[in-house]
Amino acid sequence: MPDRPDFLVIGECVADIVRLPGAPDRVHPGGSPANVAHGLARLGHDATLLTQLGADDNGRLIRAHLTGAGVEVLDDDATDPTPSAVVTLDDEGRASYAFEITWSLGPVALDRRPRHVHTGSIAAVTAPGAATVLAAVESLRTAATVSYDPNVRPALMGEHEAAVRRVERCVALSDVVKASDEDLGWLYPGREPEDAAERWLAAGPALVLVTRGGEGATALLPGGRVDIGALPVDVVDSVGAGDAFMSGTLHALAAHGLLGEAGRERLRAPDRDTVSDVLRHAAASAAVTVARAGANPPDESELRAALARH
């Protein structure tokens, strides 16, 4: 393995227990950060995931899923059970979640420094483990670019004003931020998603991405905005769509040389064609994922095929 792995992802693993009317439960490996690490590995990157896994069936299932894709899994010695979420899908494949999660990540020694760090979701805002996440990001960001996806789960966010402050602290530490319009609607009720994203852009990131499900996505950057429509696809379920969008984004940014300490300056001033290409890769990655069950992102050949189709 190289001395500097491409990506370090810090965050939770979750066993997604998918529940459909009249059908037996299906257990899928999940958790937003874990899905991003898995997606990056599927796309050919060296990806390390710093996380927590219980010594239980769900933990063994998730570990095998990640390592089978090539993800290096680092975890602490916590004895908590592996987090789980019951995922209920409606008739249009939209997901709602009920969580059983403890996040108490302690410090874990890293023997290599990454080129890029990604975090988000429950791990970045849930005590006590969030303190470990933020300390790691703050220590690594001098030599690595950082991305963040709040992946808001209202039931786990706690008091609203405090949650917004925690999210905004993560935004300020990041170079690239992705959020859905639903995330922004919960964080800033009554405000247009693009207005909230502009606020984030002013806080320091070079690029803020807003996804809108079937209506496409928008990239906000200091020089303006770039929009892309959603790719036509028959949706099986939406589990992991945003995470596949994120891994597709990072894959394309890496291909354009816009990540890592050497790429940070160029990331601050990308041209519109480059940003459009990044959005195309992100949207195609998400489209492949929603067309099949579970958080199952594309590999390189599947992503190339999706791009060729669209």
Side-chain angles (χ1 to χ4, degrees):
M1 181 169 289
D3 290 336
R4 285 172 60 87
D6 281 353
F7 294 96
L8 172 66
V9 181
I10 310 175
E12 75 275 2
C13 296
V14 179
D16 288 334
I17 304 168
V18 180
R19 186 161 293 166
L20 291 167
D25 289 349
R26 305 193 314 270
V27 180
H28 295 286
S32 178
N35 290 342
V36 173
H38 182 252
L40 289 168
R42 294 265 293 165
L43 290 170
H45 297 280
D46 293 315
T48 300
L49 177 67
L50 175 56
T51 191
Q52 282 183 300
L53 285 170
D56 49 30
D57 288 344
N58 286 339
R60 286 184 283 274
L61 172 72
I62 293 172
R63 187 183 296 275
H65 168 74
L66 292 167
T67 58
V71 179
E72 180 182 4
V73 178
L74 303 177
D75 58 349
D76 64 8
D77 297 322
T79 58
D80 297 315
T82 300
S84 64
V86 175
V87 184
T88 304
L89 301 174
D90 65 17
D91 292 339
E92 297 181 7
R94 291 187 297 257
S96 59
Y97 298 82
F99 295 96
E100 291 288 340
I101 288 180
T102 300
W103 179 247
S104 56
L105 183 71
V108 175
L110 299 172
D111 58 3
R112 298 179 300 276
R113 296 185 70 81
R115 184 160 57 99
H116 183 85
V117 179
H118 174 77
T119 192
S121 193
I122 298 159
V125 296
T126 302
T132 299
V133 175
L134 290 177
V137 170
E138 288 175 336
S139 69
L140 294 169
R141 67 189 294 266
T142 56
T145 42
V146 175
S147 56
Y148 171 63
D149 177 2
N151 192 44
V152 169
R153 298 291 180 243
L156 301 173
M157 298 296 287
E159 193 272 326
H160 184 266
E161 288 188 9
V164 172
R165 288 194 299 270
R166 292 193 296 269
V167 167
E168 290 182 345
R169 181 182 177 191
C170 294
V171 168
L173 292 171
S174 302
D175 299 284
V176 178
V177 179
K178 190 227 81 169
S180 70
D181 53 357
E182 292 180 349
D183 293 336
L184 294 169
W186 187 85
L187 291 164
Y188 306 105
R191 298 185 65 171
E192 290 296 321
E194 286 78 7
D195 291 342
E198 289 280 7
R199 171 177 174 169
W200 282 3
L201 190 67
L207 190 63
V208 177
L209 308 175
V210 179
T211 60
R212 301 187 302 276
E215 297 181 8
T218 297
L220 299 176
L221 55 156
R225 60 183 284 169
V226 178
D227 296 287
I228 188 172
L231 303 184
V233 63
D234 293 327
V235 176
V236 173
D237 73 50
S238 62
V239 176
D243 305 323
F245 188 99
M246 188 78 246
S247 57
T249 294
L250 296 175
H251 174 68
L253 288 171
H256 283 285
L258 300 179
L259 297 182
E261 186 177 15
R264 179 175 272 134
E265 185 175 348
R266 294 192 299 276
L267 180 62
R268 292 282 160 185
D271 61 75
R272 294 176 65 85
D273 287 344
T274 296
V275 175
S276 294
D277 187 62
V278 169
L279 285 177
R280 286 180 61 249
H281 280 76
S285 181
V288 172
T289 302
V290 301
R292 53 199 188 191
N296 187 3
D299 62 20
E300 290 182 272
S301 63
E302 290 171 329
L303 181 57
R304 284 194 299 269
L307 289 165
R309 287 195 301 271
H310 303 291

